[in-house]
Amino acid sequence: MRRLALLCLLPALLLWAAPAIGAGSRVEDIPVDSWIYDALFELSAHTPLPELLLHTRPLARGEVADALARLNGEREALTPGAAIVYDRLRQEFAEELAAADPIRREHGLRLGGGPTARTDQFRHGLAENRIGVDFIPAFTVADAIAVRLRIRFDSDARSDSQFHGKHWKDNFSAWVEQSALTARWKRLTVAFGREYWRWGPSPHDAMLISDHSPPFNGLRLQYRAGNWSYAFHATPLDQMYVFASDYAEGSFTEGLADRYLVAHRLNWKPVPNLEMAASEVMVFGGFDRRFEWNYLNPFLPYYWEQLNESANDNPLWSLELSWRARPGLRLYGEWLIDDFQIDFESEPQQIGVLIGGLWSPAPLRGRLSLNAEYQRINTYVYGQGQPWNRYFHLRDKDGAVIGIGSNLGTDADRISIMPLCHLLPRLDLRGDFHYIRRGVNRISDPQKSGVPKGTPFPSGTVEREWRLAIGPRWQQGGHLVAWALVGYDDIDNAGHVDRARRNGWFVQLRVNALWWKTFGV
């Protein structure tokens, strides 16, 4: 622990390094879990951001810097609350905004990192205290190619669904969480390596591809032209051992099955205040099955392919929309369908729905934002008859599979209300209210027959949870983000046991510090 604490201090040495270059690292991608996306989501409710397609992450630092540069002359027109968000973003992108026409440098080295700390006390009878440090180097060539890594050290990372590795000593963990090469040539982006992907209009969750699971080791292609983009993603998933009990009745082969995911997506902004997207994902696999050329074709409709080949693979689709109805009001939604039944009769369609909105009351001049969502994921969404086609990637410390889609899981719905008040340029007050119903079905459950008709939602003994919390949030540009929550949690039918009750107060604390410098090499 003492060595880890000393390691947390090393990134501070960057503050005394050589002066930063003005152009920054425009081609570098922004991690999908960054606070930047939440800030852009809030800012987009107050002013159009026509340069950005916010439904498809990650974005490049240069994309966001260009959007902020356009707003520079319009800052005085922003409400005081929106101006606070805008100023925080400008501090984060100070290097990229230092010159209106950034100088193209042959090489650039960006070094960053900082300590992290988190505390969870009392919730569900658990107590967790962790400290760590992130080291984030990035190397850029001619503002066209970037290699970016995020190396994490942690005193105990077992509770994170994104963690996939082993503990070294006394639960200490160290792993390369992200490592990707990104190349941009005019309108085309090619990325290869380990990274997170996230698709969707919500700042809190995504139902088709989210960052809930560990990162993918795969390929990402994106073509961006004006107000639209087309993307293709491909990655192997973790292999899984298949038992005879995973199948429907009959005698089947046991063994290690290969698993893959491919996806493509069209994201379009027909007008500055309206953004739409349509996506298709296919999960496929089997014993000794390899990537197949038809699925590596970015333009083929996967559903037709598996239907014509009688492959019984697992396709999923989503449609997304977000609309800035007026200044201070943004509405959004996502509709998911898992394995569409073309005959409309054999099985009920398995649907997921997310609708939400962000409203900033005009009299408060942008200082208060109310974000509300309702999300429902039907009983058998993310499941499939072939055991290797279920929609998960890797497992957590308890051996449970981790879903690729929503963090809500399947067979559940949730109401969320999340107010945020900007009290001062660096101080916010935030709240969280959630009411969640969970049925007994899980992604890990083998689906041994077709989806039965008339299945209740949620199924079985329904676990009901409500949670209320409030606390301060401190942010100093992009260098320091710290927040605390004090709340109360109440669960009825806990663990799907009739009348079992679990409740109590809890405290959460998060601190993330990040310093960086960019050098010409």
Side-chain angles (χ1 to χ4, degrees):
M1 185 67 70
R2 188 178 303 171
R3 293 179 180 177
L4 184 58
L6 291 174
L7 189 61
C8 291
L9 299 176
L10 291 181
L13 297 176
L14 297 172
L15 294 176
W16 291 276
I21 62 174
S25 181
R26 294 176 53 82
V27 72
E28 182 185 334
D29 283 328
I30 304 167
V32 300
D33 61 349
S34 172
W35 66 272
I36 293 170
Y37 294 103
D38 291 345
L40 291 172
F41 176 87
E42 183 180 352
L43 188 61
S44 69
H46 295 277
T47 184
L49 299 174
E51 301 87 352
L52 301 178
L53 296 174
L54 294 175
H55 291 204
T56 304
R57 304 180 184 180
L59 297 174
R61 292 186 66 87
E63 292 180 87
V64 178
D66 289 342
L68 297 176
R70 182 190 61 80
L71 286 177
N72 189 43
E74 304 175 18
R75 184 193 180 285
E76 300 305 319
L78 297 174
T79 62
I84 288 175
V85 178
Y86 172 73
D87 289 341
R88 291 175 182 175
L89 288 166
R90 283 193 60 87
Q91 292 178 56
E92 165 72 23
F93 291 90
E95 290 183 356
E96 288 80 4
L97 295 170
D101 183 18
I103 302 171
R104 289 177 61 89
R105 301 180 188 272
E106 190 60 28
H107 301 93
L109 178 64
R110 177 180 166 94
L111 296 177
T116 64
R118 58 186 296 158
T119 293
D120 288 274
Q121 296 293 328
F122 312 124
R123 186 165 180 243
H124 299 170
L126 300 178
E128 180 186 59
N129 298 288
R130 291 165 49 191
I131 62 170
V133 64
D134 292 347
F135 178 53
I136 310 173
F139 186 70
T140 304
V141 179
D143 199 26
I145 299 174
V147 177
R148 182 183 180 279
L149 291 85
R150 181 155 77 176
I151 304 168
R152 314 204 82 166
F153 303 86
D154 199 292
S155 61
D156 187 0
R158 294 176 300 172
S159 299
D160 282 351
S161 66
Q162 294 93 341
F163 171 71
H164 179 64
K166 294 183 178 180
H167 293 100
W168 294 7
K169 183 179 180 181
D170 298 328
N171 292 334
F172 172 78
S173 309
W175 71 103
V176 180
E177 185 197 40
Q178 299 178 49
S179 175
L181 182 147
T182 304
R184 286 187 169 84
W185 182 70
K186 295 183 178 179
R187 298 173 178 176
L188 179 65
T189 299
V190 180
F192 179 78
R194 179 179 299 170
E195 60 177 356
Y196 294 99
W197 308 330
R198 182 165 170 175
W199 293 351
S202 167
H204 308 290
D205 194 17
M207 292 200 298
L208 191 61
I209 294 182
S210 73
D211 56 342
H212 177 56
S213 75
F216 301 111
N217 290 291
L219 171 70
R220 173 169 56 94
L221 305 175
Q222 185 172 353
Y223 183 84
R224 171 75 189 269
N227 62 347
W228 64 275
S229 72
Y230 189 81
F232 168 75
H233 294 41
T235 182
L237 301 175
D238 61 309
Q239 293 180 312
M240 66 171 290
Y241 194 89
V242 178
F243 298 92
S245 59
D246 292 330
Y247 297 98
E249 294 181 4
S251 177
F252 296 92
T253 304
E254 292 190 352
L256 198 63
D258 300 301
R259 306 174 62 241
Y260 309 95
L261 179 147
V262 292
H264 47 196
R265 169 181 182 85
L266 177 65
N267 199 165
W268 182 38
K269 214 167 193 177
V271 294
N273 289 333
L274 179 65
E275 184 172 349
M276 300 182 290
S279 309
E280 182 183 32
V281 168
M282 178 68 77
V283 175
F284 66 99
F287 300 112
D288 297 319
R289 190 172 180 183
R290 299 292 177 258
F291 259 120
E292 298 176 358
W293 287 107
N294 57 338
Y295 286 149
L296 288 175
N297 185 329
F299 310 110
L300 283 177
Y302 300 143
Y303 180 78
W304 291 356
E305 286 298 301
Q306 66 93 30
L307 190 65
N308 290 330
E309 298 290 336
S310 299
N312 194 21
D313 296 325
N314 188 17
L316 301 92
W317 297 268
S318 74
L319 297 175
E320 306 161 17
L321 181 144
S322 62
W323 175 42
R324 180 176 172 267
R326 59 177 177 79
L329 178 62
R330 174 173 173 158
L331 305 174
Y332 57 91
E334 182 178 1
W335 179 80
L336 170 76
I337 182 168
D338 181 5
D339 205 356
F340 171 66
Q341 304 301 315
I342 197 169
D343 60 7
F344 290 92
E345 294 181 357
S346 57
E347 298 180 17
Q349 309 291 353
Q350 290 307 298
I351 305 295
V353 176
L354 184 154
I355 56 174
L358 185 146
W359 175 51
S360 182
L364 298 179
R365 306 191 67 194
R367 290 191 176 272
L368 175 65
S369 295
L370 296 172
N371 190 193
E373 288 185 357
Y374 173 72
Q375 186 176 7
R376 168 175 169 152
I377 301 177
N378 278 3
T379 306
Y380 293 97
V381 172
Y382 302 136
Q384 219 256 358
Q386 300 287 10
W388 48 75
N389 288 341
R390 285 171 287 176
Y391 204 60
F392 62 79
H393 179 46
L394 297 172
R395 297 173 182 267
D396 64 17
K397 66 182 178 67
D398 298 318
V401 299
I402 305 172
I404 297 170
S406 169
N407 58 30
L408 180 62
T410 191
D411 196 12
D413 64 353
R414 173 171 57 196
I415 297 174
S416 304
I417 302 174
M418 294 149 286
L420 176 66
C421 183
H422 300 295
L423 302 175
L424 298 169
R426 295 180 181 177
L427 179 63
D428 304 328
L429 182 66
R430 60 188 289 258
D432 284 284
F433 169 78
H434 300 279
Y435 176 69
I436 306 171
R437 298 186 303 168
R438 298 184 182 93
V440 299
N441 194 52
R442 295 291 182 269
I443 301 172
S444 56
D445 295 340
Q447 189 172 313
K448 299 182 179 182
S449 63
V451 175
K453 297 180 180 180
T455 302
F457 174 86
S459 65
T461 301
V462 179
E463 182 182 88
R464 293 178 172 86
E465 175 182 5
W466 67 266
R467 184 167 71 249
L468 178 65
I470 190 169
R473 181 179 184 272
W474 178 270
Q475 179 165 355
Q476 185 174 349
H479 295 299
L480 178 64
V481 179
W483 57 262
L485 283 176
V486 177
Y488 187 82
D489 194 43
D490 187 288
I491 303 177
D492 191 24
N493 296 338
H496 306 286
V497 177
D498 189 32
R499 300 182 188 178
R501 194 79 176 269
R502 190 166 63 213
N503 53 42
W505 294 90
F506 65 88
V507 177
Q508 293 181 320
L509 173 67
R510 302 287 187 273
V511 178
N512 291 281
L514 178 62
W515 300 286
W516 63 85
K517 288 286 186 180
T518 308
F519 309 93
V521 179

